[in-house]
Amino acid sequence: MGWSFKIAEVSGINIRIHITFFLILLVGALQWGGASNPQGALFGILLMLLLFLCVTLHELGHSLVAQRFGIPVREIILLPLGGVALLTRTPDKPRDEFLIALAGPLVNVVIFLVLLLLGPVAGVGLLDERLTFQGLQTPSVETLRLWLLGANLMLVLFNLIPAFPLDGGRMLRALLAMRLGYPRATRLASTIGQGFAVLFGFIGVFTNNWSLLLIAVFVFFGAGQENADATAKHVLRTLRVGDAYNKHALTLAIGDRVSRVVDYILTSYQPDFAVMQGSRPLGIVTRATVLRALQAGLEDGFITGIMEREFVKVDATATLDDVRRTLAEQGGRVAAVYDGQTYLGLVSLEDISEAFLVASFLQRGGPGATPSETDRTGEVVV
Ligand SMILES: [Zn+2]
């Protein structure tokens, strides 16, 4: 994500902060002090930082469990409204998805219990308006603890609302998927999620709670996107890469110079070329590589000098969803397709989108939404 920078790395996962995150620190400073009360302002900033530490730990809960199930986590991003853990794919088994979704709120339950053990909570104090006012408005360690107790409780309760794509909604989808399969479960969970979003929206407007209104928008569009993704995945899972690669592709030989591939690119629509030694590909040349070579004045150089020798290999029996996932995990755009040891041709993300469009026309009589590359579990702070 643009406009964000890395602040830490845990278990190989980059934790990044979006630049707008600093707005929330400003809000904290203004709420607790402002210019006339620098001590209060500092307290507000500290409170916000600790609150986001809880959100980060929540995201790490999702991420570490996902890693345990063999799902690589791309990064965790902290935004003013909460955090997002970017997983490279959705879990295959509903049970895994259920546990990944559960792990986040469970972290906040643990934090809540630890904070609870650190000292007594004046039960009356939290309920009685007057005492609450006295106890929770003066900057102190105790105020910090009580606020964080409340915030972690809210994080648990809010995220467990079965409003897909919030954690509770993901758990609901997983439970439904055990009986109905993913496409139907996702459709149902998305509809329920959008119902909740409308409800959040109404409550937000009538109580002047703008962050709830923002969350409503996030949930509404998130649910729609997830539904489109699940449908796309279902289509992609029914297609094999052996039926989607370019069977009539032009190829290059190891003796060819860059000028030859320039000719090919100008006279055909093909963007990627395999450099062959006999029937075996030695490397791949993409349009981007060629343009870089031309910029560097390498038009007369050998193609072997600019080709990428490391490339993604997939079997012809793999589904397009498998290939899309492998490319996302390895950060590639093109894969070489093999039938056992025999090289067949190249397949790119563009070929996959093309095959997907054709297949969704055939299956549903209309174009589908293009699937997004990653899956995310979203978090919100209220
Ligand atoms: Zn979560």
Side-chain angles (χ1 to χ4, degrees), residues 309-323:
R309 285 163 197 273
E310 298 288 321
F311 49 90
V312 179
K313 295 171 181 150
V314 293
D315 197 84
T317 56
T319 66
L320 288 187
D321 190 48
D322 295 331
V323 177

Side-chain angles (χ1 to χ4, degrees), residues 200-268:
F200 292 162
F202 270 111
I203 298 174
V205 166
F206 285 112
T207 59
N208 265 335
N209 187 337
W210 298 110
S211 45
L212 191 60
L213 197 61
L214 271 177
I215 289 163
V217 173
F218 165 84
V219 169
F220 191 88
F221 288 104
Q225 177 68 43
E226 292 273 353
N227 191 20
D229 275 8
T231 315
K233 237 166 258 167
H234 184 64
V235 172
L236 290 177
R237 275 184 189 155
T238 60
L239 297 175
R240 307 262 160 209
V241 67
D243 301 321
Y245 75 92
N246 185 351
K247 294 178 182 68
H248 312 287
L250 298 164
T251 57
L252 300 162
I254 41 176
D256 285 340
R257 290 178 192 272
V258 175
S259 51
R260 165 153 295 193
V261 72
V262 174
D263 272 353
Y264 282 172
I265 288 175
L266 291 175
T267 55
S268 72

Side-chain angles (χ1 to χ4, degrees), residues 4-16:
S4 66
F5 53 90
K6 180 179 165 179
I7 49 159
E9 185 178 327
V10 179
S11 181
I13 304 162
N14 285 339
I15 300 174
R16 305 177 69 84

Side-chain angles (χ1 to χ4, degrees), residues 344-362:
L344 296 177
L346 298 178
V347 70
S348 66
L349 284 177
E350 292 80 4
D351 295 329
I352 294 176
S353 298
E354 190 93 348
F356 167 72
L357 282 176
V358 173
S360 49
F361 255 110
L362 293 176

Side-chain angles (χ1 to χ4, degrees), residues 38-198:
Q39 212 181 349
L42 275 178
F43 179 81
I45 291 176
L46 180 66
L47 179 61
M48 286 302 177
L49 286 176
L50 287 174
L51 189 59
F52 270 81
L53 179 64
C54 297
V55 173
T56 310
L57 293 172
H58 173 117
E59 297 302 335
L60 277 172
H62 290 308
S63 303
L64 296 180
V65 174
Q67 282 185 331
R68 241 193 86 85
F69 292 131
I71 300 168
V73 179
R74 192 176 284 181
E75 58 190 10
I76 291 173
I77 302 173
L78 298 175
L79 298 155
L81 263 186
V84 182
L86 293 173
L87 311 186
T88 49
R89 63 181 170 87
T90 15
D92 295 323
K93 293 186 208 130
R95 190 195 63 118
D96 293 359
E97 178 176 46
F98 187 87
L99 293 175
I100 292 170
L102 180 65
L106 217 52
V107 168
N108 299 107
V109 169
V110 172
I111 300 174
F112 179 83
L113 291 176
V114 169
L115 290 170
L116 204 60
L117 287 175
L118 287 177
V121 172
V124 189
L126 281 177
L127 297 173
D128 186 306
E129 213 174 298
R130 192 169 51 84
L131 285 178
T132 303
F133 181 76
Q134 281 179 350
L136 291 182
Q137 296 291 316
T138 333
S140 73
V141 175
E142 184 59 8
T143 308
L144 211 54
R145 188 176 73 92
L146 292 176
W147 265 94
L148 290 175
L149 263 173
N152 278 285
L153 185 64
M154 282 304 284
L155 272 172
V156 174
L157 295 181
F158 192 82
N159 276 300
L160 287 183
I161 297 173
F164 190 70
L166 297 182
D167 294 337
R170 285 183 189 280
M171 287 156 72
L172 173 70
R173 196 257 300 255
L175 291 175
L176 291 171
M178 288 174 192
R179 289 179 172 271
L180 305 175
Y182 263 109
R184 278 184 67 196
T186 309
R187 261 200 305 282
L188 199 55
S190 301
T191 309
I192 296 172
Q194 292 189 322
F196 270 108
V198 171

